[in-house]
Amino acid sequence: PESLNMSLIAVLAATLAMTNPASPTTVIQATATPSTQTAPAGLTIEAMTAYLTAQGLTVGAVEQDGDRRFAPVTDGDVRWVAFFQSCEGEVCSDLQFSFGFTNAGVTLDGVNRWNRERRFLKAFYEPATPPSTAPAAAVQYDVILNGVLGVEQLADPLAIWRGSIPQFPGTVAGAPPAP
């Protein structure tokens, strides 16, 4: 049995040597050499806003506050913001959807319940502080982008976002937000 294993190893080694003219060192070096071609590190702001518009959303003008670029988005009666993150020029490698509201019914327990029950969207609680008379809640969804899949990579995250946002106010406040 041991001599059979040694013979099998010798045959495999010989087969590898005959079918691969390169030495093992050359094979290792060839596979370890990184590719010089890289895809863009995300999507352009223009492509993302055009995609959101094509999905029936109303996207406002892209605004800038310091290094942060964002666009207001209206989906029926719901208004939220798309933040374009980690941008190099007009190409961004991630996108954040964000929605928030104030309501006297917002509670820390409601926000914690949301975070326990939802995997992708994370909520935050802000207690009432003057001049506000009501606590606030915000929810965000971070989407990591790549340059290979195109705008179609936004389809699933956008569906999750749009399907979850109508449930957010009722979960964290027990009532819809004031207009």
Side-chain angles (χ1 to χ4, degrees), residues 63-89:
E63 302 176 35
Q64 188 159 350
D65 182 18
D67 290 341
R68 294 181 65 148
R69 288 188 277 182
F70 58 93
V73 179
T74 304
D75 187 2
D77 293 337
V78 179
R79 292 189 176 119
W80 48 275
V81 179
F83 287 97
F84 307 102
Q85 310 274 22
S86 305
C87 302
E88 290 185 29

PDB file of all heavy atoms in Angstrom, residues 63-89:
ATOM      1  N   GLU A  63     -26.838  67.775  -4.391  1.00  0.00           N
ATOM      2  CA  GLU A  63     -26.341  68.874  -3.577  1.00  0.00           C
ATOM      3  C   GLU A  63     -25.043  68.455  -2.910  1.00  0.00           C
ATOM      4  O   GLU A  63     -24.718  67.270  -2.866  1.00  0.00           O
ATOM      5  CB  GLU A  63     -27.371  69.247  -2.512  1.00  0.00           C
ATOM      6  CG  GLU A  63     -28.724  69.653  -3.096  1.00  0.00           C
ATOM      7  CD  GLU A  63     -29.765  69.916  -2.023  1.00  0.00           C
ATOM      8  OE1 GLU A  63     -29.397  70.440  -0.948  1.00  0.00           O
ATOM      9  OE2 GLU A  63     -30.934  69.571  -2.254  1.00  0.00           O
ATOM     10  N   GLN A  64     -24.326  69.443  -2.390  1.00  0.00           N
ATOM     11  CA  GLN A  64     -23.074  69.141  -1.708  1.00  0.00           C
ATOM     12  C   GLN A  64     -22.986  69.936  -0.421  1.00  0.00           C
ATOM     13  O   GLN A  64     -23.325  71.111  -0.377  1.00  0.00           O
ATOM     14  CB  GLN A  64     -21.884  69.456  -2.609  1.00  0.00           C
ATOM     15  CG  GLN A  64     -20.576  68.989  -2.039  1.00  0.00           C
ATOM     16  CD  GLN A  64     -19.498  68.818  -3.080  1.00  0.00           C
ATOM     17  OE1 GLN A  64     -19.751  68.872  -4.278  1.00  0.00           O
ATOM     18  NE2 GLN A  64     -18.277  68.592  -2.635  1.00  0.00           N
ATOM     19  N   ASP A  65     -22.542  69.249   0.644  1.00  0.00           N
ATOM     20  CA  ASP A  65     -22.311  69.879   1.935  1.00  0.00           C
ATOM     21  C   ASP A  65     -20.929  69.427   2.389  1.00  0.00           C
ATOM     22  O   ASP A  65     -20.775  68.297   2.864  1.00  0.00           O
ATOM     23  CB  ASP A  65     -23.386  69.451   2.948  1.00  0.00           C
ATOM     24  CG  ASP A  65     -23.205  70.115   4.309  1.00  0.00           C
ATOM     25  OD1 ASP A  65     -22.501  71.136   4.385  1.00  0.00           O
ATOM     26  OD2 ASP A  65     -23.764  69.592   5.281  1.00  0.00           O
ATOM     27  N   GLY A  66     -19.924  70.265   2.176  1.00  0.00           N
ATOM     28  CA  GLY A  66     -18.549  69.853   2.432  1.00  0.00           C
ATOM     29  C   GLY A  66     -18.170  68.778   1.434  1.00  0.00           C
ATOM     30  O   GLY A  66     -18.322  68.948   0.227  1.00  0.00           O
ATOM     31  N   ASP A  67     -17.711  67.634   1.924  1.00  0.00           N
ATOM     32  CA  ASP A  67     -17.338  66.519   1.052  1.00  0.00           C
ATOM     33  C   ASP A  67     -18.514  65.607   0.721  1.00  0.00           C
ATOM     34  O   ASP A  67     -18.391  64.703  -0.091  1.00  0.00           O
ATOM     35  CB  ASP A  67     -16.238  65.674   1.712  1.00  0.00           C
ATOM     36  CG  ASP A  67     -14.915  66.408   1.763  1.00  0.00           C
ATOM     37  OD1 ASP A  67     -14.744  67.374   0.997  1.00  0.00           O
ATOM     38  OD2 ASP A  67     -14.052  66.018   2.579  1.00  0.00           O
ATOM     39  N   ARG A  68     -19.639  65.813   1.375  1.00  0.00           N
ATOM     40  CA  ARG A  68     -20.799  64.919   1.182  1.00  0.00           C
ATOM     41  C   ARG A  68     -21.667  65.400   0.026  1.00  0.00           C
ATOM     42  O   ARG A  68     -22.058  66.553  -0.030  1.00  0.00           O
ATOM     43  CB  ARG A  68     -21.643  64.865   2.450  1.00  0.00           C
ATOM     44  CG  ARG A  68     -20.913  64.209   3.602  1.00  0.00           C
ATOM     45  CD  ARG A  68     -21.781  64.146   4.804  1.00  0.00           C
ATOM     46  NE  ARG A  68     -22.914  63.279   4.518  1.00  0.00           N
ATOM     47  CZ  ARG A  68     -23.511  62.526   5.408  1.00  0.00           C
ATOM     48  NH1 ARG A  68     -23.118  62.533   6.643  1.00  0.00           N
ATOM     49  NH2 ARG A  68     -24.529  61.773   5.079  1.00  0.00           N
ATOM     50  N   ARG A  69     -21.966  64.470  -0.874  1.00  0.00           N
ATOM     51  CA  ARG A  69     -22.896  64.767  -1.960  1.00  0.00           C
ATOM     52  C   ARG A  69     -24.132  63.905  -1.764  1.00  0.00           C
ATOM     53  O   ARG A  69     -24.042  62.744  -1.374  1.00  0.00           O
ATOM     54  CB  ARG A  69     -22.251  64.489  -3.311  1.00  0.00           C
ATOM     55  CG  ARG A  69     -21.203  65.542  -3.626  1.00  0.00           C
ATOM     56  CD  ARG A  69     -20.699  65.402  -5.012  1.00  0.00           C
ATOM     57  NE  ARG A  69     -19.655  64.379  -5.001  1.00  0.00           N
ATOM     58  CZ  ARG A  69     -18.969  64.036  -6.066  1.00  0.00           C
ATOM     59  NH1 ARG A  69     -19.214  64.573  -7.224  1.00  0.00           N
ATOM     60  NH2 ARG A  69     -18.037  63.119  -5.982  1.00  0.00           N
ATOM     61  N   PHE A  70     -25.279  64.486  -2.041  1.00  0.00           N
ATOM     62  CA  PHE A  70     -26.540  63.790  -1.806  1.00  0.00           C
ATOM     63  C   PHE A  70     -27.617  64.352  -2.708  1.00  0.00           C
ATOM     64  O   PHE A  70     -27.483  65.444  -3.266  1.00  0.00           O
ATOM     65  CB  PHE A  70     -26.959  63.913  -0.337  1.00  0.00           C
ATOM     66  CG  PHE A  70     -27.113  65.338   0.119  1.00  0.00           C
ATOM     67  CD1 PHE A  70     -28.341  65.974   0.070  1.00  0.00           C
ATOM     68  CD2 PHE A  70     -26.023  66.052   0.593  1.00  0.00           C
ATOM     69  CE1 PHE A  70     -28.488  67.289   0.484  1.00  0.00           C
ATOM     70  CE2 PHE A  70     -26.160  67.369   1.018  1.00  0.00           C
ATOM     71  CZ  PHE A  70     -27.387  67.998   0.960  1.00  0.00           C
ATOM     72  N   ALA A  71     -28.704  63.580  -2.810  1.00  0.00           N
ATOM     73  CA  ALA A  71     -29.857  64.012  -3.600  1.00  0.00           C
ATOM     74  C   ALA A  71     -31.122  63.651  -2.843  1.00  0.00           C
ATOM     75  O   ALA A  71     -31.241  62.529  -2.340  1.00  0.00           O
ATOM     76  CB  ALA A  71     -29.862  63.362  -4.967  1.00  0.00           C
ATOM     77  N   PRO A  72     -32.068  64.580  -2.744  1.00  0.00           N
ATOM     78  CA  PRO A  72     -33.364  64.237  -2.154  1.00  0.00           C
ATOM     79  C   PRO A  72     -34.146  63.357  -3.126  1.00  0.00           C
ATOM     80  O   PRO A  72     -34.066  63.535  -4.344  1.00  0.00           O
ATOM     81  CB  PRO A  72     -34.038  65.598  -1.976  1.00  0.00           C
ATOM     82  CG  PRO A  72     -33.368  66.499  -2.955  1.00  0.00           C
ATOM     83  CD  PRO A  72     -31.984  65.968  -3.159  1.00  0.00           C
ATOM     84  N   VAL A  73     -34.865  62.391  -2.572  1.00  0.00           N
ATOM     85  CA  VAL A  73     -35.641  61.451  -3.386  1.00  0.00           C
ATOM     86  C   VAL A  73     -37.065  61.420  -2.856  1.00  0.00           C
ATOM     87  O   VAL A  73     -37.281  61.343  -1.643  1.00  0.00           O
ATOM     88  CB  VAL A  73     -35.034  60.029  -3.333  1.00  0.00           C
ATOM     89  CG1 VAL A  73     -35.848  59.053  -4.168  1.00  0.00           C
ATOM     90  CG2 VAL A  73     -33.577  60.041  -3.786  1.00  0.00           C
ATOM     91  N   THR A  74     -38.036  61.485  -3.764  1.00  0.00           N
ATOM     92  CA  THR A  74     -39.441  61.390  -3.385  1.00  0.00           C
ATOM     93  C   THR A  74     -40.023  60.121  -3.996  1.00  0.00           C
ATOM     94  O   THR A  74     -39.893  59.878  -5.196  1.00  0.00           O
ATOM     95  CB  THR A  74     -40.228  62.623  -3.870  1.00  0.00           C
ATOM     96  OG1 THR A  74     -39.602  63.799  -3.339  1.00  0.00           O
ATOM     97  CG2 THR A  74     -41.675  62.565  -3.410  1.00  0.00           C
ATOM     98  N   ASP A  75     -40.655  59.323  -3.121  1.00  0.00           N
ATOM     99  CA  ASP A  75     -41.284  58.065  -3.529  1.00  0.00           C
ATOM    100  C   ASP A  75     -42.726  58.129  -3.035  1.00  0.00           C
ATOM    101  O   ASP A  75     -43.015  57.772  -1.901  1.00  0.00           O
ATOM    102  CB  ASP A  75     -40.531  56.890  -2.905  1.00  0.00           C
ATOM    103  CG  ASP A  75     -41.021  55.543  -3.406  1.00  0.00           C
ATOM    104  OD1 ASP A  75     -41.926  55.498  -4.261  1.00  0.00           O
ATOM    105  OD2 ASP A  75     -40.485  54.523  -2.932  1.00  0.00           O
ATOM    106  N   GLY A  76     -43.633  58.638  -3.888  1.00  0.00           N
ATOM    107  CA  GLY A  76     -45.018  58.849  -3.455  1.00  0.00           C
ATOM    108  C   GLY A  76     -45.047  59.933  -2.389  1.00  0.00           C
ATOM    109  O   GLY A  76     -44.590  61.050  -2.615  1.00  0.00           O
ATOM    110  N   ASP A  77     -45.548  59.592  -1.188  1.00  0.00           N
ATOM    111  CA  ASP A  77     -45.602  60.555  -0.082  1.00  0.00           C
ATOM    112  C   ASP A  77     -44.352  60.525   0.788  1.00  0.00           C
ATOM    113  O   ASP A  77     -44.255  61.283   1.745  1.00  0.00           O
ATOM    114  CB  ASP A  77     -46.812  60.250   0.811  1.00  0.00           C
ATOM    115  CG  ASP A  77     -48.127  60.497   0.089  1.00  0.00           C
ATOM    116  OD1 ASP A  77     -48.140  61.286  -0.877  1.00  0.00           O
ATOM    117  OD2 ASP A  77     -49.141  59.894   0.496  1.00  0.00           O
ATOM    118  N   VAL A  78     -43.427  59.641   0.493  1.00  0.00           N
ATOM    119  CA  VAL A  78     -42.230  59.477   1.329  1.00  0.00           C
ATOM    120  C   VAL A  78     -41.048  60.196   0.700  1.00  0.00           C
ATOM    121  O   VAL A  78     -40.767  60.026  -0.491  1.00  0.00           O
ATOM    122  CB  VAL A  78     -41.903  57.976   1.512  1.00  0.00           C
ATOM    123  CG1 VAL A  78     -40.657  57.795   2.361  1.00  0.00           C
ATOM    124  CG2 VAL A  78     -43.083  57.242   2.119  1.00  0.00           C
ATOM    125  N   ARG A  79     -40.363  60.981   1.527  1.00  0.00           N
ATOM    126  CA  ARG A  79     -39.155  61.678   1.071  1.00  0.00           C
ATOM    127  C   ARG A  79     -37.964  61.143   1.846  1.00  0.00           C
ATOM    128  O   ARG A  79     -38.020  61.031   3.072  1.00  0.00           O
ATOM    129  CB  ARG A  79     -39.294  63.176   1.293  1.00  0.00           C
ATOM    130  CG  ARG A  79     -40.330  63.779   0.395  1.00  0.00           C
ATOM    131  CD  ARG A  79     -40.298  65.294   0.463  1.00  0.00           C
ATOM    132  NE  ARG A  79     -41.249  65.820  -0.485  1.00  0.00           N
ATOM    133  CZ  ARG A  79     -42.282  66.560  -0.157  1.00  0.00           C
ATOM    134  NH1 ARG A  79     -42.496  66.888   1.082  1.00  0.00           N
ATOM    135  NH2 ARG A  79     -43.107  66.986  -1.087  1.00  0.00           N
ATOM    136  N   TRP A  80     -36.912  60.813   1.118  1.00  0.00           N
ATOM    137  CA  TRP A  80     -35.691  60.344   1.734  1.00  0.00           C
ATOM    138  C   TRP A  80     -34.494  60.907   0.977  1.00  0.00           C
ATOM    139  O   TRP A  80     -34.665  61.669   0.031  1.00  0.00           O
ATOM    140  CB  TRP A  80     -35.655  58.819   1.825  1.00  0.00           C
ATOM    141  CG  TRP A  80     -36.017  58.033   0.598  1.00  0.00           C
ATOM    142  CD1 TRP A  80     -37.284  57.680   0.196  1.00  0.00           C
ATOM    143  CD2 TRP A  80     -35.136  57.492  -0.378  1.00  0.00           C
ATOM    144  NE1 TRP A  80     -37.220  56.944  -0.965  1.00  0.00           N
ATOM    145  CE2 TRP A  80     -35.910  56.803  -1.334  1.00  0.00           C
ATOM    146  CE3 TRP A  80     -33.749  57.489  -0.536  1.00  0.00           C
ATOM    147  CZ2 TRP A  80     -35.357  56.146  -2.428  1.00  0.00           C
ATOM    148  CZ3 TRP A  80     -33.192  56.823  -1.626  1.00  0.00           C
ATOM    149  CH2 TRP A  80     -33.995  56.171  -2.545  1.00  0.00           C
ATOM    150  N   VAL A  81     -33.290  60.545   1.396  1.00  0.00           N
ATOM    151  CA  VAL A  81     -32.079  61.108   0.808  1.00  0.00           C
ATOM    152  C   VAL A  81     -31.145  59.980   0.388  1.00  0.00           C
ATOM    153  O   VAL A  81     -30.979  58.994   1.111  1.00  0.00           O
ATOM    154  CB  VAL A  81     -31.362  62.035   1.817  1.00  0.00           C
ATOM    155  CG1 VAL A  81     -30.077  62.601   1.228  1.00  0.00           C
ATOM    156  CG2 VAL A  81     -32.277  63.161   2.269  1.00  0.00           C
ATOM    157  N   ALA A  82     -30.544  60.140  -0.786  1.00  0.00           N
ATOM    158  CA  ALA A  82     -29.498  59.232  -1.256  1.00  0.00           C
ATOM    159  C   ALA A  82     -28.164  59.953  -1.089  1.00  0.00           C
ATOM    160  O   ALA A  82     -27.955  61.019  -1.670  1.00  0.00           O
ATOM    161  CB  ALA A  82     -29.720  58.865  -2.721  1.00  0.00           C
ATOM    162  N   PHE A  83     -27.287  59.402  -0.243  1.00  0.00           N
ATOM    163  CA  PHE A  83     -25.954  59.957  -0.034  1.00  0.00           C
ATOM    164  C   PHE A  83     -24.960  59.180  -0.874  1.00  0.00           C
ATOM    165  O   PHE A  83     -24.904  57.949  -0.790  1.00  0.00           O
ATOM    166  CB  PHE A  83     -25.547  59.865   1.446  1.00  0.00           C
ATOM    167  CG  PHE A  83     -26.268  60.836   2.331  1.00  0.00           C
ATOM    168  CD1 PHE A  83     -27.381  60.430   3.047  1.00  0.00           C
ATOM    169  CD2 PHE A  83     -25.831  62.142   2.454  1.00  0.00           C
ATOM    170  CE1 PHE A  83     -28.058  61.314   3.870  1.00  0.00           C
ATOM    171  CE2 PHE A  83     -26.499  63.033   3.272  1.00  0.00           C
ATOM    172  CZ  PHE A  83     -27.616  62.622   3.982  1.00  0.00           C
ATOM    173  N   PHE A  84     -24.171  59.888  -1.666  1.00  0.00           N
ATOM    174  CA  PHE A  84     -23.160  59.269  -2.518  1.00  0.00           C
ATOM    175  C   PHE A  84     -21.853  59.292  -1.740  1.00  0.00           C
ATOM    176  O   PHE A  84     -21.313  60.351  -1.445  1.00  0.00           O
ATOM    177  CB  PHE A  84     -23.064  60.027  -3.845  1.00  0.00           C
ATOM    178  CG  PHE A  84     -24.406  60.166  -4.507  1.00  0.00           C
ATOM    179  CD1 PHE A  84     -25.109  61.360  -4.456  1.00  0.00           C
ATOM    180  CD2 PHE A  84     -24.992  59.083  -5.140  1.00  0.00           C
ATOM    181  CE1 PHE A  84     -26.359  61.485  -5.043  1.00  0.00           C
ATOM    182  CE2 PHE A  84     -26.254  59.196  -5.728  1.00  0.00           C
ATOM    183  CZ  PHE A  84     -26.928  60.397  -5.677  1.00  0.00           C
ATOM    184  N   GLN A  85     -21.350  58.109  -1.395  1.00  0.00           N
ATOM    185  CA  GLN A  85     -20.228  57.981  -0.472  1.00  0.00           C
ATOM    186  C   GLN A  85     -18.983  57.445  -1.183  1.00  0.00           C
ATOM    187  O   GLN A  85     -19.078  56.779  -2.206  1.00  0.00           O
ATOM    188  CB  GLN A  85     -20.596  57.007   0.659  1.00  0.00           C
ATOM    189  CG  GLN A  85     -21.913  57.293   1.330  1.00  0.00           C
ATOM    190  CD  GLN A  85     -21.809  58.302   2.453  1.00  0.00           C
ATOM    191  OE1 GLN A  85     -20.887  59.097   2.516  1.00  0.00           O
ATOM    192  NE2 GLN A  85     -22.767  58.280   3.351  1.00  0.00           N
ATOM    193  N   SER A  86     -17.839  57.708  -0.561  1.00  0.00           N
ATOM    194  CA  SER A  86     -16.548  57.170  -1.027  1.00  0.00           C
ATOM    195  C   SER A  86     -16.354  57.444  -2.522  1.00  0.00           C
ATOM    196  O   SER A  86     -16.050  56.532  -3.290  1.00  0.00           O
ATOM    197  CB  SER A  86     -16.444  55.674  -0.728  1.00  0.00           C
ATOM    198  OG  SER A  86     -16.650  55.423   0.636  1.00  0.00           O
ATOM    199  N   CYS A  87     -16.519  58.687  -2.900  1.00  0.00           N
ATOM    200  CA  CYS A  87     -16.441  59.052  -4.313  1.00  0.00           C
ATOM    201  C   CYS A  87     -15.034  59.500  -4.698  1.00  0.00           C
ATOM    202  O   CYS A  87     -14.348  60.172  -3.924  1.00  0.00           O
ATOM    203  CB  CYS A  87     -17.414  60.176  -4.636  1.00  0.00           C
ATOM    204  SG  CYS A  87     -19.136  59.772  -4.260  1.00  0.00           S
ATOM    205  N   GLU A  88     -14.641  59.102  -5.889  1.00  0.00           N
ATOM    206  CA  GLU A  88     -13.447  59.629  -6.539  1.00  0.00           C
ATOM    207  C   GLU A  88     -13.947  60.291  -7.803  1.00  0.00           C
ATOM    208  O   GLU A  88     -14.338  59.611  -8.745  1.00  0.00           O
ATOM    209  CB  GLU A  88     -12.461  58.514  -6.848  1.00  0.00           C
ATOM    210  CG  GLU A  88     -11.813  57.929  -5.607  1.00  0.00           C
ATOM    211  CD  GLU A  88     -10.738  56.911  -5.954  1.00  0.00           C
ATOM    212  OE1 GLU A  88     -10.108  57.021  -7.025  1.00  0.00           O
ATOM    213  OE2 GLU A  88     -10.549  56.002  -5.136  1.00  0.00           O
ATOM    214  N   GLY A  89     -13.992  61.612  -7.775  1.00  0.00           N
ATOM    215  CA  GLY A  89     -14.601  62.335  -8.883  1.00  0.00           C
ATOM    216  C   GLY A  89     -16.094  62.070  -8.862  1.00  0.00           C
ATOM    217  O   GLY A  89     -16.759  62.260  -7.848  1.00  0.00           O
TER     218      GLY A  89
END
